[in-house]
């Protein structure tokens, strides 16, 4: 359970704090968690073998045999906790999926998730001057919506709201960004028009949005240089809508190279939810990200990895 892991962190004297949406972070460094897990592993008598590649995995009369670059390992049970395909420079591979398929377990199609989205060259040409600009936003795709920051990059869109919605977005479809979702931009601009109608549109918008974003939307609406007094209610409503119902069609994602997690994986229907053991292959377990379970940002995927690993460890 999450509270069990928090208690473990506290037993090791690691300070932590809560950010938005219940997300917990170490006060000092995530390396504190690594040191904690290493200490727990040592206390349990586990062996750590680094820079060791896996070759063949075989079923034997007494369990399983795994051939590695450091020799052969025989065991009564085999727990596959090798993660997904995300961030291959850290060693991620599709090993778990290969083992699952070898033993007849179904694998749900995998794809990058919690990943920045890319834009095509035409869109990048329009947004190029905005690289590095961030704004509060709601990112929406279908019924899924996430309220956090959006960051425009030299490749496309990033930031927490984009990473979250990337797990739902599909190629060829649009996402809708609602910038500054807590305010009624149309009403604010109309109030500014009454108070100071001679103010330029882009100047007024810069009181609401980051300056470069304000200039972008004024340019897109062909209103740069015009005064608020010149704008009708209809024009102001259309300008506000372009900001708060901003439809963007990503060209793709940055892929597994930067994806924080992998969608899809070993089909949960093939596993016993109480133990994570393969229903048709006694002694074979799959835990963590290689299973078709994906959480939001904020430690949920780590929690799933630890929790699924715990129940498998209790059964082995």
């Amino acid at each position: 359970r999450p509270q069990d892991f928090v208690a473990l962190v506290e037993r090791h004297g690691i300070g932590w704090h809560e950010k938005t949406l219940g997300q917990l972070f170490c006060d000092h460094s995530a390396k504190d968690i690594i040191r904690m897990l290493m200490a727990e592993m040592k206390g349990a008598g586990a062996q750590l073998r680094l820079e060791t590649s896996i070759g063949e995995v075989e079923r034997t009369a007494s369990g399983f045999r795994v051939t590695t670059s450091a020799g052969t390992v025989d065991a009564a049970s085999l727990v596959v906790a090798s993660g997904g395909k995300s961030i291959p420079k850290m060693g991620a591979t599709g090993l778990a999926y290969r083992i699952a398929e070898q033993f007849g377990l179904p694998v749900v199609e995998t794809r990058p998730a919690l990943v920045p989205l890319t834009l095509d060259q035409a869109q990048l040409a329009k947004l190029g001057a905005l690289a590095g600009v961030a704004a509060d936003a709601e990112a929406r795709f279908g019924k899924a919506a996430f309220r956090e920051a959006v960051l425009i990059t030299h490749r496309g869109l990033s930031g927490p709201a984009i990473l979250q919605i990337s797990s739902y977005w599909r190629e060829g479809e649009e996402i809708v960004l609602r910038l500054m979702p807590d305010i009624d931009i149309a009403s604010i601009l109309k109030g500014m028009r009454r108070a100071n109608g001679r103010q330029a549109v882009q100047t007024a918008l810069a009181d609401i949005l980051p300056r470069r974003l304000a200039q972008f939307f004024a340019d897109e609406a062909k209103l740069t240089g015009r005064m608020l007094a010149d704008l009708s209610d209809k024009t102001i409503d259309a300008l506000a809508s372009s900001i708060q119902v901003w439809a963007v069609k990503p060209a793709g994602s940055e892929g597994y190279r930067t994806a924080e997690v992998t969608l899809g994986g070993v089909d949960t229907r093939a596993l016993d939810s109480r133990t994570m053991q393969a229903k048709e292959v006694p002694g074979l377990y799959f835990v963590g990200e290689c299973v078709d379970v994906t959480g939001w940002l904020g430690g949920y995927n780590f929690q799933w990895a630890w929790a699924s690993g715990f129940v498998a460890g209790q059964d082995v």
Side-chain angles (χ1 to χ4, degrees), residues 133-137 147 178-193 199-218 228 231 236-237 239-244:
V133 173
D136 185 25
R147 164 69 186 282
R178 185 182 179 197
L179 302 183
M180 311 305 291
D182 287 338
I183 64 176
D184 184 338
I185 291 179
S187 293
I188 292 174
L189 288 175
K190 290 171 186 177
M192 289 180 171
R193 182 182 59 186
Q199 190 174 25
V201 173
Q202 68 271 22
T203 303
L205 278 179
D207 285 341
I208 302 170
L209 297 168
R211 181 184 57 79
R212 283 186 283 166
L213 264 180
Q215 187 67 58
F216 169 79
F217 282 108
L228 287 176
L231 306 187
I236 288 178
D237 290 341
L239 174 61
S241 180
S242 71
I243 297 168
Q244 297 197 293

Side-chain angles (χ1 to χ4, degrees), residues 100-239:
E101 291 170 343
Q102 175 185 338
F103 288 98
L105 276 68
V107 175
V108 177
E109 180 185 5
T110 58
R111 55 186 290 122
L114 298 183
V115 62
L117 299 177
T118 59
L119 300 175
D120 61 30
Q121 289 303 312
Q123 292 172 304
L124 289 176
K126 289 173 61 175
L127 298 177
L130 299 178
V133 173
D136 185 25
E138 178 191 80
R140 178 177 292 274
F141 179 79
K143 295 181 179 180
F146 295 94
R147 164 69 186 282
E148 290 191 73
V150 167
L151 172 68
I152 300 172
T153 73
H154 65 285
R155 291 192 180 94
L157 300 172
S158 189
I162 295 299
L163 298 187
Q164 296 276 44
I165 208 66
S166 72
S167 296
Y168 298 83
W169 172 77
R170 290 296 178 266
E171 287 81 355
E173 302 291 337
E174 291 182 338
I175 61 172
V176 175
L177 302 179
R178 185 182 179 197
L179 302 183
M180 311 305 291
D182 287 338
I183 64 176
D184 184 338
I185 291 179
S187 293
I188 292 174
L189 288 175
K190 290 171 186 177
M192 289 180 171
R193 182 182 59 186
R194 289 191 297 270
N196 181 12
R198 297 183 63 80
Q199 190 174 25
V201 173
Q202 68 271 22
T203 303
L205 278 179
D207 285 341
I208 302 170
L209 297 168
R211 181 184 57 79
R212 283 186 283 166
L213 264 180
Q215 187 67 58
F216 169 79
F217 282 108
D219 289 346
E220 285 290 291
K222 296 181 171 55
L223 296 175
T224 298
R226 294 185 61 181
M227 296 185 297
L228 287 176
D230 296 333
L231 306 187
S232 66
D233 283 356
K234 183 177 180 180
T235 300
I236 288 178
D237 290 341
L239 174 61

